[in-house]
Amino acid sequence: MAATERPQSPRSSALQALNTAALALPGLLLASAQAAEEDVSFQYGHYQESNRELYEVRSRFRPIEVESLQGMARLKFTDRLKFTANYTQDTWSGATPIATAPLSFRGNRDRGIISGATPNLQNGEVYFDKQFRPLRQDAVTGALRRDDRLVHTLSSASPETRKQGDFRLGYEWDEAALTVGGGTSVEHDYESNFGNLGGRFDFNRKLTTLNLNLSYTASSTRALLDHDATPYIQRTTYGNRVEVRSDGSQILRGSRDDWAGTVGLTQVLTKSSLAEVLFGYTHARGYLANPYKVVEVAFVDPDQTPGASGELRGETLAFLERRPNTRDQWTASLRYVLHVDPLDAALHLNYGYFHDSWGIDAHTFQADWVQPLGSGWTVTPRVRYYSQDGADFYHPYLISRQAANKVVLDDAGNVRVIPYDPRRLPDAYSSDHRLSGYGALSGGITVSKEFARGFTLIADAEYYSHAGSLKLGGGGEGAYSDFNYYAVNATLKVNLDALSSAQPWQGGHEHHGAHHPIHHGGHAPAGVMFNHMLSEPGAMMVGYRYMYGHQAGGMLRGSGGIGDAALVALGCGGEPCYVTPTQMGMHMHMLDLMYAPTGWLNLMLMPQFVDMHMFMRPLAGAPEAADPGTAAAVIHANHEHTTGGVGDTGMYALFKLLDSGGHHLHATLGVSAPTGDVGIRLRDTHRQQLGFIHYGMQLGTGTWDFKPSLTYTGRNGDWSWGAQLSGTKRLEDRNESGFAFGDSFQSTAWGSYSVLDWLSASVRGVYTVRGSLAGAYNGPYHRIGPMDYGASYGGRYWDLGLGLTAVVPDGALQGNRFSFEWIQPLHDDVNGYQLPRDVGLAATWSYGF
Amino acid sequence: MIRFLLVPTTALLLCGAGLAGCTGVQPWERGILAKPHMALERYPLPEKFTGHNHGSREAAAGTGSAGGGGCGCY
């Protein structure tokens, strides 16, 4: 079982054959979560949904989109002990359905003009014919005509982020394996913790493998209900699950537990085929509904006197959806893999059946054709078809044959209003289209290219079409719920096994005349970018860089504090300030990809992914905002604001100027391309358009930026030192949203000492100047605090960095370099009025070869 | 439908027990089975991303294993 995947030299073909045979053992082949590979992968993904059919209403909101970042490391602690760690983060924004109703209810109308984030859930009087079919009133003539068309009521959301970390530890015996794993997923309104235990048993000379898996998930919901919608949402059927707070906001709380188990059997059928059957059962209990979905109920009193055209009048009310408190789900799937010898291709066929206690039966069919093309290329087209029945309690909307409020005269002749009887509503109801009957057809393609030295790039695209008419056997939901999406992702995988067997450190990544990898402990601290060059032509380096910056505390004016009253009066350029930021945080994830075409020139590509959050509070003594839009923005500032997604992309060339003895000098010239979004807006609220989010929360600069730097490093024995001057010059006056961040300049110097032969410690000083922001948003936005004014950006900053750098000298992770730096702000002298910085962190991992 | 799946399951079990004549694959004959494109999970991260998209839009998301995945409230 101590199989290795290190490439064999051509001469050891006998060994290769044996190795191949060893790899063919089902345990390795089939349970790829426990595969023998050691690798690190990074992935970026983008999901974009299409517009929904809204008929005559034009929505000015973008459909939902998701930006996703994933990282995974699979490592071997020993030949038998393996570890996998995953990190995922998704940020989504845009419009999704909150409810469904007949078109005549006009749920997407917003003051009759636009469709917006502020859905109309309580639509007043609606009309039905005697068979309770919806009637539509002509706006001009007032005539009523039957109109059965349904439409989703859309609601839009400000960006939100989910983060998930999980791990798996596996131990392998010769004919068995045991894994234990767990993780957590956190978003502002939902948290999930999970653990799992798995076992694998090989039988029958490893032609048969049994897999068992048991898992448990505990999740909790804490959803702040949309304050625009809550006045129109009935909670009568929700008991005390919704808490109404003193400020009128409503919090829905719930928790759920999921137990799941699977049993799988994998069997080698022939020399070129294998099959797997998998059975699964999941039991979920607790709050299983979606806190953001409501069901429209039309209350129609059957005893009423019909109108002039025989119509019945009704009144609509919206109810938070209700689902059963338990759900039992059974799955069964069959996979078949066949090698097609003439083409050296593999055909993967998959059928999955799903049944649950909510009345949903679903079928999934998928076929993948995996075609290697030589030179490391593999192309995999795939097609998938999915079909499900609707849940028993799915209804696009409900009609309740009772009056919402019935006016009667009691025996004493007094007028009494009798409200609807909630007991006459069903126990469970949902109009979430994901519980409706429909089919989905999707096709995709995966293209992968394995480069020399263990690098693999994988690009994947999928187009997905959801339609009621695609349901197996017909009878699916109407066309109003149809939508499409496309999803693309790109993955970089670095195989550490292949790298380490290629003797990485002899090929490059060396400078200062060092001849042993551990001397790289003398590298610059983690917070210094462009700090070294690859000296060997053809050398490559892959690295990951994480940076974090946090601001918190009392507001600054220049370098001194300022109280609320002064901030209200002075902080917003002649207008009053209403709120102040209390905390801002920014996480940056960067990939460093470096290549040396020659010894004196290195090329570098640095894509990045960023996410930010911000908290605000009202300023004491601030006046009431006169403008209703500004007032809405002030109220919205009570929520955490978050954004996340792809940031700007750096492209650099590093030129060696001097490399003699212990001294090295190089210049870096580069540009930053404006790939980060600068058009992020807050969702509308209180029927007001809030417009652009604060400048600092946008994901990029929006401008092409010139980024030169000059770096000197030196070393002598265990000591090393260096200095760097770097700058950013905006190449445009304004970005597409109408503003430009200020130019900046930074100088830094450091010293480092090798405490151990694999560990060095560093001290660094940093001085930074940043200009203020020029221009202003060219679309709607509301200035509610200092962060909405360009004059309150930039400043002069002094920092102290304390760092540690470790280079793994041997063992499985040999040649990996880890570096960490704590960056302590010492002094801030800000432009305008800003939060002080309280901490910065930088961490890097890199691997050169 | 479960009955439909019982047939291949039974066949596999018989096969595993050596009763169906499909277990004659010797260790040195497993070169093809060892090829990366024959692996059941070929591209873990892209497959996870695609699976998450399907799971957030389809009712049959419960696959029997806990993997987090969040609320899917959007």
Side-chain angles (χ1 to χ4, degrees):
Chain A
M1 193 54 76
T4 167
E5 291 205 344
R6 291 180 185 183
Q8 307 300 312
S9 65
R11 61 186 165 76
S12 61
S13 55
L15 184 59
Q16 192 164 21
L18 272 176
N19 240 5
T20 307
L23 278 172
L25 303 180
L28 288 183
L29 172 65
L30 304 174
S32 61
Q34 300 134 7
E37 279 186 82
E38 278 200 289
D39 53 37
V40 176
S41 304
F42 303 93
Q43 183 192 60
Y44 161 70
H46 182 79
Y47 171 96
Q48 176 68 61
E49 213 162 277
S50 67
N51 278 309
R52 308 281 173 144
E53 174 63 79
L54 298 181
Y55 300 102
E56 69 264 36
V57 175
R58 269 184 302 122
S59 174
R60 55 192 177 79
F61 292 98
R62 294 195 289 197
I64 188 148
E65 60 185 307
V66 185
E67 299 269 354
S68 169
L69 179 72
Q70 288 203 59
M72 178 174 82
R74 297 193 286 194
L75 304 171
K76 277 187 290 193
F77 291 150
T78 70
D79 275 344
R80 292 184 183 274
L81 187 61
K82 285 150 194 182
F83 180 72
T84 302
N86 279 297
Y87 174 76
T88 306
Q89 100 178 27
D90 308 317
T91 300
W92 61 91
S93 59
T96 47
I98 178 176
T100 307
L103 187 59
S104 57
F105 288 16
R106 297 172 65 206
N108 291 302
R109 146 204 84 187
D110 189 11
R111 294 175 169 175
I113 307 165
I114 51 172
S115 162
T118 48
N120 285 285
L121 297 171
Q122 185 168 300
N123 303 287
E125 211 165 63
V126 292
Y127 300 97
F128 293 87
D129 66 11
K130 281 176 185 156
Q131 284 76 44
F132 293 92
R133 294 176 301 206
L135 298 174
R136 188 169 194 218
Q137 188 161 33
D138 189 289
V140 182
T141 64
L144 292 162
R145 208 170 304 138
R146 185 175 155 196
D147 188 345
D148 290 328
R149 287 179 295 173
L150 295 171
V151 67
H152 284 311
T153 306
L154 290 186
S155 174
S156 152
S158 298
E160 289 178 14
T161 299
R162 177 182 81 90
K163 297 183 179 185
Q164 175 176 329
D166 55 86
F167 76 95
R168 180 185 287 243
L169 191 64
Y171 191 85
E172 303 250 348
W173 287 271
D174 286 347
E175 294 190 324
L178 195 65
T179 59
V180 57
T184 185
S185 165
V186 179
E187 45 202 297
H188 80 280
D189 54 359
Y190 194 81
E191 185 175 325
S192 209
N193 294 292
F194 50 93
N196 50 58
L197 192 64
R200 196 199 78 230
F201 307 93
D202 301 322
F203 302 100
N204 188 19
R205 291 174 298 140
K206 300 197 176 184
L207 292 168
T208 309
T209 301
L210 178 69
N211 279 296
L212 302 169
N213 191 57
L214 182 69
S215 62
Y216 171 68
T217 308
S219 314
S220 61
T221 298
R222 188 184 167 282
L224 175 66
L225 301 182
D226 178 1
H227 41 65
D228 280 357
T230 44
Y232 312 112
I233 294 179
Q234 304 294 309
R235 290 178 285 109
T236 43
T237 56
Y238 244 73
N240 53 8
R241 199 181 282 294
V242 179
E243 174 202 342
V244 182
R245 297 193 297 190
S246 56
D247 62 356
S249 61
Q250 300 187 8
I251 304 279
L252 188 152
R253 290 176 204 275
S255 62
R256 65 182 279 179
D257 299 281
D258 289 58
W259 282 96
T262 58
V263 181
L265 187 71
T266 313
Q267 176 67 46
V268 171
L269 300 175
T270 69
K271 281 186 283 189
S272 55
S273 67
L274 58 99
E276 180 199 56
V277 286
L278 191 71
F279 293 94
Y281 168 70
T282 304
H283 176 74
R285 174 188 292 273
Y287 175 67
L288 307 180
N290 183 324
Y292 303 115
K293 303 285 182 197
V294 301
V295 176
E296 298 274 9
V297 182
F299 288 89
V300 186
D301 184 357
D303 302 329
Q304 67 181 276
T305 311
S309 320
E311 79 275 12
L312 297 172
R313 283 184 318 281
E315 187 179 338
T316 57
L317 296 174
F319 290 75
L320 287 173
E321 69 160 33
R322 277 173 64 91
R323 302 185 186 188
N325 289 330
T326 59
R327 187 184 190 188
D328 292 291
Q329 303 166 74
W330 293 268
T331 58
S333 70
L334 178 63
R335 301 177 77 169
Y336 177 66
V337 185
L338 173 69
H339 189 259
V340 182
D341 295 336
L343 296 167
D344 187 27
L347 173 66
H348 292 246
L349 297 174
N350 190 8
Y351 166 72
Y353 171 69
F354 172 93
H355 172 78
D356 75 1
S357 57
W358 290 359
I360 299 173
D361 282 282
H363 306 269
T364 309
F365 303 86
Q366 183 168 337
D368 294 37
W369 182 272
V370 193
Q371 181 66 61
L373 297 174
S375 308
W377 287 93
T378 304
V379 176
T380 309
R382 67 175 182 273
V383 58
R384 178 179 185 271
Y385 171 68
Y386 171 84
S387 176
Q388 72 175 48
D389 298 331
D392 296 334
F393 55 88
Y394 169 80
H395 305 280
Y397 70 105
L398 287 171
I399 295 175
S400 187
R401 298 184 184 194
Q402 58 175 325
N405 290 293
K406 190 162 190 164
V407 180
V408 294
L409 290 177
D410 65 12
D411 295 342
N414 298 320
V415 174
R416 280 183 56 210
V417 176
I418 302 175
Y420 65 88
D421 179 1
R423 289 169 303 183
R424 290 179 61 184
L425 294 173
D427 288 338
Y429 40 85
S430 171
S431 58
D432 187 340
H433 66 280
R434 290 173 284 199
L435 298 177
S436 69
Y438 68 88
L441 190 60
S442 56
I445 189 162
T446 309
V447 179
S448 76
K449 161 74 176 159
E450 194 173 345
F451 294 90
R453 305 188 234 193
F455 256 120
T456 306
L457 271 176
I458 307 162
D460 179 270
E462 182 179 50
Y463 188 78
Y464 182 100
S465 188
H466 164 125
S469 59
L470 284 171
K471 181 176 174 296
L472 204 61
E477 199 53 33
Y480 73 92
S481 69
D482 294 356
F483 71 92
N484 306 310
Y485 74 70
Y486 75 82
V488 290
N489 67 81
T491 305
L492 169 70
K493 184 172 113 176
V494 185
N495 186 328
L496 302 179
D497 273 348
L499 295 183
S500 54
S501 64
Q503 297 179 311
W505 294 99
Q506 309 226 334
H509 200 62
E510 298 188 345
H511 59 136
H512 324 309
H515 294 295
H516 194 274
I518 56 173
H519 286 165
H520 289 269
H523 269 311
V528 184
M529 308 229 263
F530 321 116
N531 58 40
H532 72 286
M533 285 184 69
L534 308 174
S535 55
E536 289 290 319
M540 293 170 116
M541 188 202 80
V542 58
Y544 162 76
R545 179 181 295 272
Y546 167 76
M547 297 183 94
Y548 174 65
H550 192 253
Q551 293 172 260
M555 288 290 279
L556 294 178
R557 172 168 56 174
S559 52
I562 180 169
D564 277 15
L567 202 52
V568 170
L570 304 170
C572 292
E575 295 173 41
C577 283
Y578 304 99
V579 304
T580 175
T582 56
Q583 263 190 64
M584 293 176 74
M586 176 175 188
H587 304 267
M588 300 174 73
H589 305 268
M590 290 171 260
L591 266 187
D592 287 4
L593 305 172
M594 205 162 164
Y595 172 64
T598 71
W600 58 268
L601 170 69
N602 285 188
L603 300 175
M604 195 167 180
L605 180 69
M606 193 183 279
Q608 56 178 310
F609 198 95
V610 295
D611 76 275
M612 286 170 269
H613 63 269
M614 175 175 183
F615 291 94
M616 287 160 279
R617 67 167 172 85
L619 280 167
E624 292 282 323
D627 172 65
T630 306
V634 169
I635 294 172
H636 199 62
N638 289 324
H639 307 289
E640 178 187 13
H641 288 180
T642 61
T643 54
V646 172
D648 293 338
T649 305
M651 293 168 279
Y652 307 95
L654 287 72
F655 301 91
K656 182 163 75 182
L657 302 178
L658 170 77
D659 196 5
S660 78
H663 305 282
H664 175 96
L665 182 68
H666 68 260
T668 304
L669 298 176
V671 292
S672 164
T675 47
D677 195 349
V678 289
I680 298 178
R681 294 163 192 248
L682 291 162
R683 58 159 286 179
D684 291 12
T685 180
H686 304 276
R687 296 182 171 245
Q688 298 296 327
Q689 210 179 126
L690 296 193
F692 287 111
I693 202 166
H694 324 290
Y695 297 108
M697 297 286 285
Q698 300 289 357
L699 302 179
T701 65
T703 48
W704 283 88
D705 302 331
F706 175 55
K707 297 177 87 96
S709 65
L710 189 66
T711 309
Y712 162 75
T713 55
R715 70 177 301 132
N716 187 358
D718 287 336
W719 292 92
S720 62
W721 56 86
Q724 185 183 71
L725 302 175
S726 59
T728 302
K729 168 76 187 150
R730 314 291 166 196
L731 296 176
E732 296 167 277
D733 296 341
R734 302 281 185 271
N735 60 27
E736 63 182 44
S737 295
F739 69 94
F741 286 103
D743 296 336
S744 70
F745 171 78
Q746 186 176 78
S747 59
T748 180
W750 65 91
S752 150
Y753 179 72
S754 293
V755 188
L756 299 167
D757 61 354
W758 57 273
L759 183 71
S760 64
S762 63
V763 179
R764 181 163 78 100
V766 194
Y767 173 65
T768 311
V769 189
R770 272 199 289 273
S772 53
L773 182 147
Y777 280 130
N778 52 15
Y781 74 112
H782 293 282
R783 298 189 291 188
I784 56 173
M787 66 285 172
D788 297 318
Y789 292 81
S792 288
Y793 280 79
R796 291 144 297 282
Y797 308 95
W798 289 261
D799 301 84
L800 174 71
L802 299 171
L804 286 174
T805 295
V807 177
V808 181
D810 50 32
L813 298 178
Q814 182 188 359
N816 284 271
R817 204 180 93 90
F818 299 93
S819 192
F820 173 82
E821 189 177 24
W822 177 281
I823 301 165
Q824 181 59 48
L826 297 179
H827 185 72
D828 291 5
D829 175 14
V830 302
N831 296 335
Y833 306 85
Q834 297 182 45
L835 273 178
R837 302 164 312 142
D838 69 344
V839 69
L841 299 174
T844 63
W845 163 78
S846 64
Y847 197 104
F849 45 91
Chain B
M1 193 46 68
I2 289 289
R3 215 174 305 149
F4 165 75
L5 281 160
L6 283 178
V7 177
T9 307
T10 313
L12 277 194
L13 284 171
L14 291 176
C15 187
L19 300 174
C22 55
T23 54
V25 183
Q26 301 300 322
W28 56 87
E29 293 178 324
R30 297 182 198 173
I32 288 175
L33 296 165
K35 292 189 175 202
H37 53 296
M38 291 291 285
L40 288 177
E41 188 186 41
R42 297 174 304 281
Y43 302 116
L45 285 192
E47 285 166 18
K48 206 189 263 188
F49 177 76
T50 305
H52 185 68
N53 291 336
H54 295 158
S56 70
R57 287 289 171 260
E58 295 172 355
T63 53
S65 71
C71 177
C73 293
Y74 56 88

